[in-house]
Amino acid sequence: MLLIVMVLVFLQIWLATPAMATGGACLPPDPIDRPSGLGSIASDTYPVRVHWLRDQDEVKAAIILDYAELSWAVQVDQMGFVPPLLPDDADGPELDFYLAPTWNGGGVTYGDDRVDHMVGDGMNSTTSFIVIHWDYPIMGLASLVPHEFQHTLQFATDFEESTYPIWEAVATASQEWTLGPGEESYWDWNIASYQEAPWLPALTADGYYASQAYGLGWSYEYGSVLWVMHLDQVLGASDGAAGPSLWRAVADEGAGLEPDVLEAFASVAEKPLGDALNELARTRWLVGDDWDSRGLLAAEFWPDAFKVPTDNATFNDLPLEHAPNPQPQSTGQSFLSVTGLATADPTASLVVQVRSDSELESALLVLWWSVDGQLGEETAYGLDPQVSLPVDGLDRVVIALTNLGPPGYDPDVDPLYAFGDQFLTIFTEVPDPETPETTETTDTFQTFSDTHQPRPTSASACACNSTVGAVGGWTWLLLFGAFRRRPPRRS
């Protein structure tokens, strides 16, 4: 019976949700009047006040206040996010929560205006307030309140940041950062929506556009938490530091759009965008029974619905020219698995090349597994990147291709949803016995430990090789996750 009720509630909320009229970037909604309050309760620790309009909501207001205090303690005091901008001079000087009807049945965070209240600090800051639907279930407040609280910190950092996923991805990650491991933060409940269409722009696509244009990725911006958690857990220390770093990296004074999210992602990853997106592709592929210790901590237990679609080929198909279908859009990715390599000539090398007739740049990742249980990867990026590796001992490879767009690609200027034209060429080649071998190389070699800390041994612009040792009721949950996630970033 509970399931039936939740399905009906979800459908009512989804059908009532207004869709974005344009694709790609969007700005915060126009300010609205604050709800009129009947009563309120204020924190003794932080400048936070919760208002209610109905007598029966007083208990729920106290629960919201508890989670708001926890959110402030973790996200601001411990993690270092910019605090909410105060005073807002409305209903007192505190950050205000209201229990009232909302258009989406969940939570909404609104900016009071579109005016930078702290000129000269390098950020674009405005005051904000949160409205939570007065009938929102108490059991969902633990994750909802930290999510919406995070949006107030974003309004205080750069309220005109135009790339939708960074709002929702960081807010969704904040659910886990605030509640901690083992609690029901539900941060990963929309991963399937992100993974099902890896060809969409990995860092900038949103579900409003994607669901209307392609019928996929309807909660893509929430599932984009995967790339935030990748920065936090795979490249970072799993301490949430990637969150405030990302937002400080995109912040700018006034209405400017630079630096953009691509630049922020590369900055936090501390490497060029091509390398950074190759690493993200690795994390996206290491899910479920394909997982190893290089992946996200939770991904080992994710179901097949959380995997990226992967094309398949065998050694007998080589030489192969492969055109991804659909072609990845700018920063979008595609995956191809090649098996049966153990039957190849052990003296041969496997060569993987990328070609773009329109001279788009690409990132190329080749993950490999050997018959004796070893694994590793080779990467390259740029115009027509190529990698080559010995076939001897190989069992299979997975090839990830990322469309980096035209040289100098800028998501704030260039089209977000432009399809690429890349082709993969895969073949083996046997060295000419009359040609002497050379020991010279221009590759960068890295070895990664299980804690993902690189130990570089040489330097190069954009290619590397790494090797590590061998490692050894969902439908309802996803539906409820979709229901729970409807509280959006701002509207």
Side-chain angles (χ1 to χ4, degrees), residues 40-169:
S40 67
I41 180 173
S43 169
D44 294 329
T45 308
Y46 296 104
V48 178
R49 183 176 295 272
V50 184
H51 306 260
W52 62 88
L53 281 66
R54 307 180 305 185
D55 289 332
Q56 65 263 39
D57 292 330
E58 185 172 356
V59 172
K60 188 176 288 186
I63 295 172
I64 290 173
L65 185 62
D66 287 343
Y67 285 120
E69 291 177 334
L70 175 64
S71 299
W72 196 304
V74 174
Q75 296 183 33
V76 177
D77 294 349
Q78 296 179 24
M79 297 179 63
F81 278 101
V82 174
L85 186 62
L86 298 172
D88 57 28
D89 297 328
D91 294 329
E94 305 95 347
L95 171 66
D96 297 296
F97 287 75
Y98 298 88
L99 277 164
T102 61
W103 61 262
N104 67 348
V108 187
T109 302
Y110 293 96
D112 283 301
D113 52 40
R114 291 180 177 172
V115 177
D116 185 0
H117 291 253
M118 298 288 288
V119 177
D121 64 351
M123 296 183 290
N124 210 22
S125 310
T126 192
T127 58
S128 57
F129 61 96
I130 297 166
V131 184
I132 294 177
H133 198 284
W134 56 20
D135 289 330
Y136 197 81
I138 288 177
M139 64 179 177
L141 293 175
S143 57
L144 176 66
V145 174
H147 184 110
E148 297 303 328
F149 179 81
Q150 170 59 211
H151 287 322
T152 70
L153 314 187
Q154 296 165 350
F155 271 106
T157 305
D158 188 353
F159 65 87
E160 294 217 50
E161 169 51 48
S162 61
T163 306
Y164 194 8
I166 193 174
W167 290 79
E168 292 304 352

Side-chain angles (χ1 to χ4, degrees), residues 132 182 285 301 317 320 326 375 432 434 445-446 460:
I132 294 177
W285 201 84
F301 307 104
D317 297 318
L320 173 67
L375 55 85
D432 186 342
E434 297 183 359
F445 293 91
Q446 294 181 337
S460 178

Side-chain angles (χ1 to χ4, degrees), residues 438-453:
T438 177
T439 58
E440 294 183 1
T441 177
T442 57
D443 288 342
T444 298
F445 293 91
Q446 294 181 337
T447 299
F448 291 87
S449 70
D450 282 345
T451 56
H452 315 293
Q453 299 302 314

Side-chain angles (χ1 to χ4, degrees), residues 180-214:
E183 300 297 326
E184 295 294 336
S185 70
Y186 309 118
W187 71 267
D188 58 357
W189 276 16
N190 291 290
I191 295 296
S193 187
Y194 180 74
Q195 293 281 79
E196 70 176 345
W199 46 270
L200 286 170
L203 305 179
T204 56
D206 66 69
Y208 289 101
Y209 180 84
S211 61
Q212 292 183 65
Y214 311 114

Side-chain angles (χ1 to χ4, degrees), residues 391-413:
V391 169
D392 187 21
L394 282 188
D395 179 37
R396 62 173 176 143
V397 299
V398 169
I399 302 164
L401 166 66
T402 303
N403 176 9
L404 298 179
Y409 173 72
D410 186 341
D412 294 316
V413 177

